[in-house]
Amino acid sequence: MTKEKLLLLDGNSLAYRAFFALPLLTNESGIHTNAVYGFTTMLQRILEEEQPTKILVAFDAGKTTFRHETYTEYKGGRQKTPSELSEQFPYIRKLIDAYGIKRYELEMYEADDIIGTLANEASTQDMDVIVVSGDRDLTQLATEQVTVYITKKGITEIEKNTPAFIAEKYGLTPQQIIDMKGLMGDSSDNIPGVPGVGEKTAVKLLKEHGSVESLYAAMDTVKASKMKEKLVANEEQALMSKKLATIFTKAPIDITLSDLAYNGPNEEELISVWQELGFKSLLEKSDFTVQEEEQAPFDYEILEEVKQEHLKDVMAVHLELEDEHYHTCQQLGIALTDGAKTMYVPFDLAAKSDVLRLWLEDATKIKYMSDSKASQAALKRAGIRLAGVEFDLLLASYINNPALSGDDVATLAKELGYRNVQANEAVYGKGVKRAIPAIDALSEHASRKAFAVWSLQPKLETLLKENEQFELYKNLELPLASILGEMESEGITVNRATLEKMGQELNDKLIVIEQAIYAEAGETFNINSPKQLGVILFDKLGLPVIKKTKTGYSTAADVLEKLKPEHAIIEHILLYRQLGKLQSTYIEGLLKEIHKEDGKVHTRFQQALTATGRLSSTDPNLQNIPIRLEEGRKIRQAFVPSKEDWILFSADYSQIELRVLAHMSNDKNLVEAFREGMDVHTRTAMDVFHVSADEVDSNMRRAAKAVNFGIVYGISDYGLSQNLDITRKEAATFIEKYFASFPGVKQYMDDIVQDAKFNGYVTTILNRRRYLPDITSSNFNLRSFAERTAMNTPIQGSAADIIKKAMIDMDARLKKENMQAKILLQVHDELIFEAPKEEIALLEKIVPEVMENAIELSVPLKVDFNYGATWYEAK
DNA sequence: AGGATCACG
DNA sequence: ACGTACGTGATCCTG
């Protein structure tokens, strides 16, 4: 075994050094990063050069230490730590944790004392010790075993203080460094020493007498001089100074050397911290991404025929797909494992195997999978109706922590410390080099995934149960996955001809507007380029600059809206933008997504993506089809039922988020408003403006509505002022009046932020969690954002819980009633169905009934509905 | 690849 | 005093 090497870092001192050595760097979110950056580069270098086996970073704990008992002025008169530095300490701690390095601080003691104590302890064992600090005092710890590294010139150079080095430099032993300081003092720590004695004198005296004590013992022999008078006059002060400068090596620490083992960084975590801080150069230099995981050998078999004996009652199953577009991509193969034997079946064989198909369709045969919805949809295309999924790694991992990104098995597994599976990128390649690998690599990759799912199932279920989230996962998300899969596979019919006709008309209009803009600008340019547009508007036409972005002038709609009276071009640009958006995103974009085979679009609902528990929709996104402006709303005319004499039926929750807020805050006034079936915005206006219901005009209601939105988002006066285009002060008054009228809401908002600070997370009605690590950040921006999130997430997330539950109940009810009606889409607070006309009456009864009773709140839920021959008409 | 913009709830 | 509304996805431009 190689000799142990202990690295002891003086966290505070190194952070200070780095801070003052480097210019004030900031990252994208405006946090200063120079101290963290300097600290990191220094740490990287030392790790590389020294290869320590144990590490500790020590920090100073509080302001007072035991030294203050000796001398209350200790470290007095110091400049307060600059806020640009103090805001970096949380990141330094985060970084150290990501490295897997232990850190420690102790009340009443300084980092020096922790380091001294551990260095001392290590010296009793056969261990090399390296101490790193920016503070020269630490050199007193140097021995044959302990080398003290002191940073020089900021942090770029290091001076290695061994006893020999110190002897050469000062002619003193390391212990005499303390005496030296006792005599000369230290202005930065406010240690007085003997006035008039500097380094030279101190060294000379110590060479002659050995120590402060012996110097005073031998004072009689010293020749009378000014210096002697000073020494005599300050004897007590010299002895006290020495005492203050002495590092205490018997601090009552409760860690031992064996706690300090260093096993390398948690790469995921480190990369994420570096990304957060914007350390691009370090990310590029690091070999983390290219580093191949050392793969343990893996045993599996490629089947040439699937036999009954291969298939067990409980197995992990992985359907390997060509890419994430599971409605269109090629299915490559199926891997199966029962933990003992792992098998791979090429998909062409699987598709032909009745044995395998029957097993996959058998709900009593239990399957553990990851992203079962993707598999369900891709199998359906091959005529296989997947059933019996009892575990889904993707969903379990998402419920456990929705912040974790990755959706492939390797990423999910790695987050749980399981590494015997490769990233898709490593097997398929990326960018233009991406290709389906040969059968041996492909089959092993898929097999390892199945095995990973098998291995992680117990662990995740335990984690979920510990957090009381197993119900949410098993009874909500898992069955929902199957329903969403059916919705996606069913798809919604889009009338190509309708879109193409709209596209033609739009195109004609766009050409006219484009010419008008060029004429008004006096030249042609790319209207879609904010940069070029900015030059035209603000430089050439000299319009007033209202807002700027990072990259230049802002030309966003709210800015242009204010510029409307200034120039005729503005209106044209706004119209060009509006129509251009419709053309590119909703006409051309949607046309590209229509499947030739069935004339439908098949979106993918991302079920494990949002931080709040909502779904999202991609390829195409069917959750942001225009509705607010009439021109855009017409796009909905292209969405039609799949069969003749069918209709589209749309049902949406009225004010679900405010109802959730009423329920959770239990605010008397808000609860009463909903129980009495009042218009909540009108009610808010009455309270805020102190008027009666019939005195509320449209402007008052509009303002009240904005306040209600603000409340849901985690209000700020600035945000509200921007939204309503009023002054901050006026906005603040609104908020004040709102809270006076709805004190329960105010109480809830305060409580939820407190809860989040205490727990580190917030929860929804069905116990969905969102962690908010920034809630205790010293960075104002980050903390404020986390606070607003703490207020908003339980509301948005609980609304998501409710509609998800409604979808499950709805699916069951449609089956129970033997209906042909199908749920096609979910748009956060709205469900869209298609059904034969004959079922309209029944839908009108059961849809609101099921949705309104999905979850019982202390206020009623209300559902509005409509139907028609197109989505446009179902309003 | 990231920013700006804009579509939705 | 600090600088903002919460949650998404698609398209276009630019470096």
Side-chain angles (χ1 to χ4, degrees):
Chain A
M1 193 185 146
T2 49
K3 196 172 179 186
E4 294 266 24
K5 192 186 258 188
L6 172 66
L7 183 62
L8 298 167
L9 300 160
D10 183 344
N12 290 76
S13 149
L14 292 171
Y16 265 88
R17 278 292 170 127
F19 179 75
F20 289 109
L22 296 173
L24 264 182
L25 313 163
T26 46
N27 76 351
E28 295 149 348
S29 34
I31 316 156
H32 294 95
T33 55
N34 59 334
V36 200
Y37 185 76
F39 189 89
T40 311
T41 49
M42 190 212 59
L43 182 58
Q44 282 280 105
R45 201 171 64 219
I46 293 179
L47 288 177
E48 218 165 279
E49 281 171 18
E50 305 294 346
Q51 305 276 328
T53 58
K54 294 179 189 298
I55 314 183
L56 176 97
V57 184
F59 286 97
D60 299 338
K63 277 194 189 124
T64 38
T65 67
F66 70 90
R67 289 187 177 83
H68 290 87
E69 291 165 15
T70 309
Y71 183 51
T72 50
E73 300 301 304
Y74 180 65
K75 290 200 173 175
R78 265 202 177 187
Q79 290 278 319
K80 199 170 170 284
T81 307
S83 66
E84 292 87 354
L85 172 57
S86 50
E87 73 185 25
Q88 296 185 55
F89 276 104
Y91 293 96
I92 293 176
R93 286 193 282 271
K94 234 175 164 174
L95 184 91
I96 292 166
D97 293 346
Y99 269 101
I101 293 174
K102 197 92 183 163
R103 52 187 170 78
Y104 192 71
E105 56 183 56
L106 183 63
E107 277 310 310
M108 298 302 284
Y109 293 87
E110 293 179 64
D112 299 12
D113 304 311
I114 300 167
I115 289 175
T117 305
L118 282 163
N120 198 31
E121 194 185 326
S123 299
T124 64
Q125 300 177 23
D126 186 25
M127 200 181 285
D128 284 331
V129 181
I130 293 169
V131 172
V132 189
S133 176
D135 185 349
R136 191 152 288 286
D137 296 5
L138 278 285
T139 51
Q140 65 183 270
L141 296 173
T143 66
E144 288 312 314
Q145 256 178 285
V146 180
T147 310
V148 181
Y149 289 12
I150 301 297
T151 56
K152 280 179 65 178
K153 284 195 187 161
I155 50 163
T156 48
E157 269 176 53
I158 278 174
E159 182 185 274
K160 301 184 177 179
N161 287 269
T162 57
F165 180 91
I166 295 164
E168 194 177 323
K169 188 167 174 184
Y170 300 105
L172 300 177
T173 66
Q175 291 72 36
Q176 287 176 309
I177 297 286
I178 313 171
D179 297 274
M180 181 170 94
K181 204 157 162 189
L183 292 173
M184 61 185 269
D186 181 339
S187 59
S188 74
D189 286 349
N190 203 29
I191 297 178
V194 178
V197 175
E199 187 178 308
K200 291 253 165 66
T201 320
V203 168
K204 195 180 120 228
L205 289 167
L206 290 171
K207 273 185 182 166
E208 205 171 315
H209 298 279
S211 71
V212 175
E213 290 79 4
S214 357
L215 166 66
Y216 280 103
M219 197 51 82
D220 295 347
T221 68
V222 177
K223 268 197 303 192
S225 66
K226 268 256 154 44
M227 180 55 64
K228 180 173 177 175
E229 283 171 29
K230 279 185 196 160
L231 285 168
V232 171
N234 292 290
E235 177 171 356
E236 236 174 83
Q237 198 162 295
L239 288 167
M240 178 196 76
S241 295
K242 178 178 174 180
K243 194 175 165 195
L244 287 174
T246 306
I247 291 174
F248 187 63
T249 58
K250 298 208 163 33
I253 55 173
D254 54 10
I255 38 168
T256 60
L257 290 170
S258 54
D259 297 332
L260 308 182
Y262 176 65
N263 299 311
N266 177 334
E267 290 179 8
E268 304 275 293
E269 215 178 308
L270 189 56
I271 288 170
S272 112
V273 177
W274 282 359
Q275 276 168 344
E276 187 181 353
L277 291 162
F279 291 174
K280 299 206 177 87
S281 59
L282 283 168
L283 284 164
E284 277 164 29
K285 262 193 277 173
S286 77
D287 48 4
F288 292 153
T289 41
V290 289
Q291 207 172 51
E292 286 284 309
E293 283 291 331
E294 186 112 352
Q295 297 281 329
F298 186 76
D299 205 26
Y300 71 101
E301 185 189 339
I302 300 177
L303 297 186
E304 284 168 12
E305 189 195 346
V306 186
K307 295 185 183 150
Q308 205 58 58
E309 71 210 46
H310 291 133
L311 303 170
K312 305 291 164 58
D313 289 344
V314 183
M315 294 187 99
V317 183
H318 178 74
L319 171 61
E320 184 70 15
L321 295 169
E322 184 187 7
D323 59 42
E324 72 272 23
H325 301 95
Y326 52 77
H327 293 306
T328 50
C329 76
Q330 203 184 331
Q331 305 96 331
L332 302 175
I334 298 178
L336 301 140
T337 188
D338 64 352
K341 186 173 157 70
T342 305
M343 295 152 286
Y344 178 81
V345 189
F347 197 76
D348 49 0
L349 178 61
K352 281 184 281 187
S353 165
D354 280 341
V355 174
L356 182 55
R357 183 175 55 77
L358 288 171
W359 184 84
L360 287 167
E361 294 187 339
D362 185 345
T364 68
K365 304 295 178 191
I366 293 168
K367 288 107 191 161
Y368 297 164
M369 310 186 78
S370 189
D371 198 358
S372 58
K373 172 163 69 67
S375 302
Q376 178 190 313
L379 286 171
K380 179 137 195 199
R381 286 162 46 216
I384 299 168
R385 295 190 308 269
L386 178 67
V389 179
E390 296 271 323
F391 174 75
D392 190 315
L393 175 62
L394 175 66
L395 296 178
S397 163
Y398 172 67
I399 294 305
N400 184 237
N401 185 355
L404 301 180
S405 50
D407 53 1
D408 75 342
V409 176
T411 315
L412 299 170
K414 216 168 172 183
E415 279 153 2
L416 295 155
Y418 182 98
R419 307 184 107 77
N420 265 321
V421 56
Q422 280 188 298
N424 281 332
E425 210 176 82
V427 179
Y428 287 82
K430 70 168 172 180
V432 285
K433 287 188 198 156
R434 198 189 149 92
I436 297 171
I439 179 74
D440 51 344
L442 182 65
S443 56
E444 177 170 337
H445 184 50
S447 298
R448 282 179 183 273
K449 285 189 191 176
F451 197 81
V453 170
W454 179 268
S455 310
L456 290 169
Q457 183 266 342
K459 184 169 182 174
L460 265 167
E461 293 202 346
T462 307
L463 280 174
L464 292 173
K465 282 172 184 159
E466 278 170 6
N467 290 344
E468 294 176 335
Q469 294 185 296
F470 188 72
E471 282 278 304
L472 167 67
Y473 151 77
K474 190 72 185 259
N475 299 334
L476 193 88
E477 299 294 350
L478 199 56
L480 182 67
S482 158
I483 293 168
L484 289 170
E486 286 175 30
M487 291 162 57
E488 295 176 12
S489 295
E490 187 61 42
I492 183 164
T493 307
V494 176
N495 191 325
R496 178 176 286 276
T498 307
L499 286 182
E500 279 168 348
K501 185 159 170 278
M502 288 177 182
Q504 267 304 327
E505 291 166 10
L506 270 178
N507 205 36
D508 295 346
K509 285 190 190 168
L510 279 166
I511 289 169
V512 175
I513 302 162
E514 192 182 348
Q515 290 311 318
I517 292 171
Y518 294 156
E520 282 152 345
E523 63 182 290
T524 63
F525 65 101
N526 187 343
I527 307 167
N528 282 320
S529 162
K531 196 178 162 192
Q532 292 182 36
L533 180 61
V535 172
I536 297 285
L537 296 182
F538 305 110
D539 291 341
K540 187 162 179 187
L541 300 178
L543 299 178
V545 178
I546 292 173
K547 201 165 71 177
K548 291 194 128 194
T549 66
K550 266 183 236 181
T551 50
Y553 306 118
S554 169
T555 67
D558 62 324
V559 173
L560 296 186
E561 209 58 53
K562 295 195 176 96
L563 292 173
K564 250 185 185 170
E566 304 280 337
H567 202 290
I569 195 173
I570 300 296
E571 195 135 15
H572 289 134
I573 288 164
L574 284 166
L575 190 57
Y576 181 88
R577 284 244 180 99
Q578 189 201 328
L579 301 184
K581 180 87 177 179
L582 292 178
Q583 183 74 298
S584 63
T585 304
Y586 297 103
I587 303 286
E588 290 166 3
L590 209 46
L591 281 169
K592 277 185 225 155
E593 296 288 344
I594 301 176
H595 287 219
K596 291 206 175 61
E597 308 79 31
D598 59 5
K600 293 177 172 184
V601 293
H602 299 266
T603 188
R604 297 192 324 274
F605 288 107
Q606 306 297 328
Q607 198 188 347
L609 185 146
T610 72
T612 55
R614 274 191 176 182
L615 302 175
S616 86
S617 159
T618 55
D619 301 318
N621 180 354
L622 295 180
Q623 292 182 319
N624 71 346
I625 301 302
I627 191 164
R628 290 172 191 169
L629 299 173
E630 178 56 26
E631 296 92 317
R633 191 172 195 158
K634 291 211 157 64
I635 298 285
R636 295 178 174 226
Q637 291 170 342
F639 288 80
V640 295
S642 63
K643 299 185 184 71
E644 226 167 291
D645 290 322
W646 280 42
I647 46 93
L648 290 180
F649 187 101
S650 158
D652 67 291
Y653 283 108
S654 158
Q655 308 293 355
I656 189 167
E657 292 192 337
L658 287 173
R659 287 173 200 265
V660 166
L661 174 61
H663 171 81
M664 299 209 293
S665 67
N666 215 10
D667 179 272
K668 217 178 131 212
N669 197 6
L670 197 56
V671 167
E672 189 184 285
F674 282 122
R675 285 196 185 150
E676 289 174 5
M678 290 186 72
D679 176 308
V680 71
H681 300 319
T682 302
R683 175 56 174 266
T684 305
M686 288 163 61
D687 288 329
V688 172
F689 297 109
H690 300 296
V691 293
S692 66
D694 49 352
E695 287 170 317
V696 174
D697 64 26
S698 65
N699 256 334
M700 291 157 94
R701 189 176 178 281
R702 190 178 64 91
K705 189 173 171 179
V707 172
N708 279 328
F709 268 98
I711 292 294
V712 168
Y713 293 156
I715 201 151
S716 73
D717 51 9
Y718 184 86
L720 183 64
S721 74
Q722 288 295 300
N723 191 288
L724 283 176
D725 207 6
I726 56 177
T727 67
R728 239 172 114 146
K729 218 167 170 182
E730 290 166 327
T733 311
F734 278 171
I735 295 168
E736 215 173 283
K737 290 192 174 155
Y738 178 93
F739 282 140
S741 309
F742 300 94
V745 173
K746 170 79 176 134
Q747 186 68 46
Y748 164 78
M749 294 295 173
D750 293 345
D751 289 350
I752 198 79
V753 169
Q754 278 312 110
D755 276 10
K757 288 199 166 129
F758 182 77
N759 295 318
Y761 59 86
V762 289
T763 58
T764 66
I765 289 180
L766 294 187
N767 219 14
R768 192 184 299 281
R769 256 185 209 201
R770 179 176 187 179
Y771 291 93
L772 299 169
D774 292 336
I775 197 94
T776 53
S777 170
S778 57
N779 179 299
F780 178 85
N781 277 340
L782 291 179
R783 190 178 63 250
S784 304
F785 189 34
E787 287 170 356
R788 292 197 296 273
T789 310
M791 300 184 231
N792 173 262
T793 294
I795 301 173
Q796 192 184 117
S798 297
D801 291 350
I802 292 170
I803 194 164
K804 283 177 166 179
K805 172 69 164 36
M807 292 171 76
I808 291 169
D809 294 349
M810 201 68 239
D811 179 73
R813 186 67 182 271
L814 292 176
K815 284 184 178 130
K816 187 182 154 209
E817 306 274 351
N818 266 319
M819 293 174 73
Q820 289 175 267
K822 291 189 175 76
I823 312 176
L824 298 185
L825 301 175
Q826 186 251 46
V827 191
H828 311 307
D829 64 352
E830 172 186 18
L831 295 178
I832 292 111
F833 305 77
E834 67 172 6
K837 282 179 177 167
E838 306 83 71
E839 291 184 358
I840 292 172
L842 191 49
L843 282 179
E844 288 180 319
K845 175 175 174 288
I846 66 169
V847 172
E849 180 186 315
V850 169
M851 287 174 74
E852 286 173 359
N853 293 299
I855 290 182
E856 194 181 333
L857 303 185
S858 58
V859 295
L861 286 170
K862 182 165 171 273
V863 169
D864 299 318
F865 57 87
N866 275 295
Y867 59 88
T870 69
W871 194 0
Y872 179 86
E873 288 162 58
K875 64 176 178 185

